[in-house]
Amino acid sequence: IGIDGSEANARSLTAEEVKIYNRIEEALGLPPVIWNYTPDSMILEEYQIIEKAHSCGISYTINGKPITVQINENDQVDSKVTRFDGEIIKNIMIRSIGMEVPIWQLHNWEEGTAFVTQFEYTNGFYIITGEIDEETFTKLIQSINFKKDDMNA
């Protein structure tokens, strides 16, 4: 189901995505970000788990433009709030967990416009950055889900 309750842009995860998300959860003990909304052109490109650092990174693209998700165990983050060279342009709600998060628009970004958000969930610290348009970034963040039940391939 899409974030607006429609079927548009809703999809089941691929078997490969389920495998990757399960590996992340097993290695870190933290739930991965699962998107309830994905643009048709969104592709999971790669991921890296660094078990010693209790962290992972997941890279996606939308029409060739990067989106990254960093997940760190809270104990491994020196400063729970990262400072960004930009300004908070709004706060939006991650509907599945009822959490309001800030959206920064970054300044001096080489490739044009970029947006970022950060938040804590369970025992994890999440940072999501996208070099995509504001509307798409907002829809993605609003659609975040952490429920494994929704990981049906």
Side-chain angles (χ1 to χ4, degrees):
I1 305 289
I3 61 170
D4 60 359
S6 71
E7 292 294 322
N9 297 101
R11 66 171 177 81
S12 294
L13 298 175
T14 65
E16 185 63 20
E17 288 171 318
V18 171
K19 199 181 302 180
I20 289 168
Y21 296 154
N22 282 333
R23 284 185 191 143
I24 290 168
E25 189 157 17
E26 288 167 15
L28 302 181
L30 297 170
V33 167
I34 299 167
W35 313 102
N36 281 345
Y37 161 83
T38 54
D40 292 335
S41 61
M42 188 166 172
I43 299 167
L44 193 159
E45 298 285 349
E46 64 181 346
Y47 75 103
Q48 181 179 22
I49 298 170
I50 305 168
E51 290 190 50
K52 286 184 180 181
H54 301 275
S55 68
C56 81
I58 309 166
S59 298
Y60 302 85
T61 57
I62 296 177
N63 294 324
K65 299 200 178 239
I67 298 163
T68 58
V69 177
Q70 292 176 261
I71 305 171
N72 298 289
E73 190 176 326
N74 269 346
D75 297 351
Q76 304 304 313
V77 179
D78 291 334
S79 172
K80 294 216 188 332
V81 176
T82 302
R83 297 225 185 273
F84 300 107
D85 182 16
E87 61 187 279
I88 295 174
I89 57 170
K90 61 183 166 185
N91 291 299
I92 62 171
M93 184 71 66
I94 299 176
R95 294 181 178 137
S96 67
I97 57 174
M99 179 187 295
E100 192 171 87
V101 297
I103 302 293
W104 280 266
Q105 182 170 358
L106 301 179
H107 298 305
N108 302 321
W109 200 259
E110 292 176 17
E111 301 299 320
T113 305
F115 299 92
V116 65
T117 190
Q118 65 180 4
F119 57 91
E120 293 179 58
Y121 179 70
T122 62
N123 193 34
F125 186 69
Y126 297 76
I127 299 175
I128 302 169
T129 307
E131 294 179 31
I132 56 176
D133 64 90
E134 181 182 342
E135 180 182 354
T136 303
F137 189 78
T138 298
K139 285 181 180 179
L140 283 169
I141 301 308
Q142 288 174 323
S143 81
I144 290 172
N145 196 352
F146 295 97
K147 295 181 182 163
K148 265 185 98 111
D149 312 351
D150 297 331
M151 294 198 325
N152 49 4

